[in-house]
Amino acid sequence: MKLIIPMAGRGTRVRPHSHTVPKPLLPVAGTMIVERIVETFNRTLDRNITEIVYILGPDFGEDIKQPLREMSKRHNAKALFEVQAEALGTAHAVAMAKEHLDGEVIIAFADTIFDSKEKFDLGDADSVIWLKKVEDPSRFGVAVHEGDKITGFVEKPKEFISDLAIIGVYYFKDGNYFKKQIEWVLDNDMKGPGGEYFLTAALDKMIKDGKIFKTATVDEWLDCGTLPAWLETTGIITEKEFDGVDENKYPGTTIIPPVYIGEGVKIENSTVGPKVSIESDTVIKNSKLKNTIIRDHAFLEGVETSGSTIGAHTTLKNVKGTMDIGDHSTLDI
């Protein structure tokens, strides 16, 4: 089983943090977004992933590849890399991995975190599409279905036809056959909204060819595509995964759960929480923090903030208010 993860996008909606780190490598309560996706597959699939193919941007170097290699190794998978030089849509992104499209393949776009209490039985379906019921289907590609069998796909429908959104996770039993459908979309210039090549065009052709599609619905689908969404998702995950923190480790400090505190963090004379995530080796003194993400190796003193995202290796002193501060920044007021 191969897992293909397209992640060549620039993550412009999570700037300034994506200036130095691709969005899928940003942490959510101590774990990279992309690793949370891999963890979910390992927990919910009925078979093991042995290779992970990362589709990267043309300027992603070893500083990006090495943590992905290490993460893949933690999950007993081999890491492979391909490049998407130009962002021309989901089908175009997957086409960059054509050399690896054989045998059983899963494709997962690293924009969202999803979860399910149930294991997914892939069975003998030609394809399985992961779906989630949404209030506004016009923002997504949706699946038209009869029971658990999918009968069609529509990209960002203007009129209501289905409220089951495609969350960006797909299984294909025959990767080589699927590759031919992707090539057909590109060769025939089958562009969709915005002039991009969408996977839904290839999926529609597969249905017309008589392939059997099944649905897999998820319990949780959390967005990380914007700064407010990343912040909200981090709060949800922190509440879900971390019950409490020992205040005695942090002198003069009040912890209001839920809070995630990474390894090597030092906190003095502060109030932290609720919904605060602090990554490793950060130092916090005389501060009041809530609903905030603080990345690793930051230093905060005299900071009062809510609804903020604070980058790695950042120094903030005597700062009050809401802020989005990128890595290696210094602000002393």
Side-chain angles (χ1 to χ4, degrees):
M1 174 81 78
K2 295 179 181 179
L3 172 60
I4 313 289
I5 302 182
M7 47 180 287
R10 302 312 307 166
T12 56
R13 295 183 298 164
V14 292
R15 288 175 177 168
H17 302 285
S18 59
H19 282 310
T20 54
V21 177
K23 179 173 59 180
L25 269 64
L26 290 173
V28 172
T31 304
M32 294 185 297
I33 294 169
V34 66
E35 184 159 14
R36 286 188 173 274
I37 293 170
V38 173
E39 287 177 344
T40 298
F41 283 129
N42 285 339
R43 188 173 63 255
T44 60
L45 284 181
D46 60 352
R47 58 205 74 177
N48 296 327
I49 292 170
T50 57
E51 293 183 1
I52 306 176
V53 182
Y54 302 96
I55 302 171
L56 307 179
D59 56 343
F60 291 8
E62 279 300 312
D63 58 329
I64 305 304
K65 293 179 180 179
Q66 190 55 32
L68 292 172
R69 289 191 188 98
E70 293 170 358
M71 184 270 285
S72 302
K73 187 176 181 180
R74 285 196 293 273
H75 298 282
N76 301 310
K78 180 181 179 181
L80 302 167
F81 301 98
E82 296 294 343
V83 174
Q84 183 185 18
E86 187 178 5
L88 295 176
T90 53
H92 180 263
V94 174
M96 299 302 101
K98 61 184 179 181
E99 292 184 8
H100 311 283
L101 291 177
D102 56 68
E104 291 184 293
V105 173
I106 284 185
I107 296 165
F109 288 85
D111 292 318
T112 56
I113 294 170
F114 67 98
D115 204 357
S116 174
K117 297 174 185 176
E118 304 293 330
K119 280 217 168 192
F120 298 117
D121 180 10
L122 301 178
D124 59 354
D126 295 307
S127 180
V128 177
I129 313 295
W130 276 251
L131 307 170
K132 183 72 170 69
K133 189 173 182 178
V134 296
E135 292 184 1
D136 181 12
S138 66
R139 296 171 50 214
F140 308 97
V142 300
V144 184
H145 65 100
E146 296 176 2
D148 68 346
K149 182 180 178 182
I150 296 174
T151 58
F153 302 93
V154 179
E155 191 67 41
K156 299 179 181 179
K158 294 182 179 179
E159 297 181 359
F160 180 86
I161 56 168
S162 170
D163 58 2
L164 287 180
I166 303 168
I167 74 168
V169 180
Y170 314 80
Y171 161 79
F172 300 97
K173 182 169 66 175
D174 184 349
N176 190 56
Y177 169 82
F178 174 63
K179 174 173 64 177
K180 293 177 181 177
Q181 312 317 305
I182 292 290
E183 290 173 342
W184 176 84
V185 171
L186 270 60
D187 291 345
N188 288 278
D189 201 29
M190 301 288 290
K191 291 180 179 176
E196 296 185 344
Y197 300 100
F198 287 96
L199 277 182
T200 44
L203 302 180
D204 264 332
K205 186 172 185 301
M206 291 176 67
I207 285 180
K208 291 174 182 176
D209 286 349
K211 299 299 182 182
I212 304 300
F213 283 73
K214 289 186 178 180
T215 64
T217 54
V218 299
D219 302 317
E220 190 173 60
W221 184 29
L222 302 174
D223 186 15
C224 297
T226 65
L227 289 174
W230 179 36
L231 194 58
E232 182 181 7
T233 291
T234 297
I236 292 170
I237 294 294
T238 301
E239 187 170 21
K240 177 182 175 181
E241 295 184 356
F242 300 98
D243 294 331
V245 175
D246 183 6
E247 288 184 351
N248 296 324
K249 295 171 63 176
Y250 310 105
T253 294
T254 299
I255 304 292
I256 306 171
V259 170
Y260 166 76
I261 301 177
E263 295 291 329
V265 171
K266 298 179 181 179
I267 308 175
E268 299 177 6
N269 304 317
S270 298
T271 300
V272 177
K275 295 185 177 180
V276 172
S277 175
I278 307 170
E279 298 296 326
S280 61
D281 299 306
T282 281
V283 175
I284 297 170
K285 298 180 179 181
N286 308 314
S287 296
K288 295 180 180 180
L289 313 171
K290 60 182 179 180
N291 189 32
T292 288
I293 296 169
I294 305 165
R295 293 189 53 216
D296 58 285
H297 296 87
F299 180 90
L300 280 66
E301 184 173 10
V303 174
E304 295 185 20
T305 190
S306 175
S308 294
T309 60
I310 298 168
H313 300 276
T314 291
T315 298
L316 301 179
K317 295 181 179 180
N318 308 311
V319 180
K320 296 183 180 181
T322 298
M323 65 205 83
D324 296 303
I325 303 291
D327 294 356
H328 302 281
S329 298
T330 298
L331 186 59
D332 187 347
I333 297 177

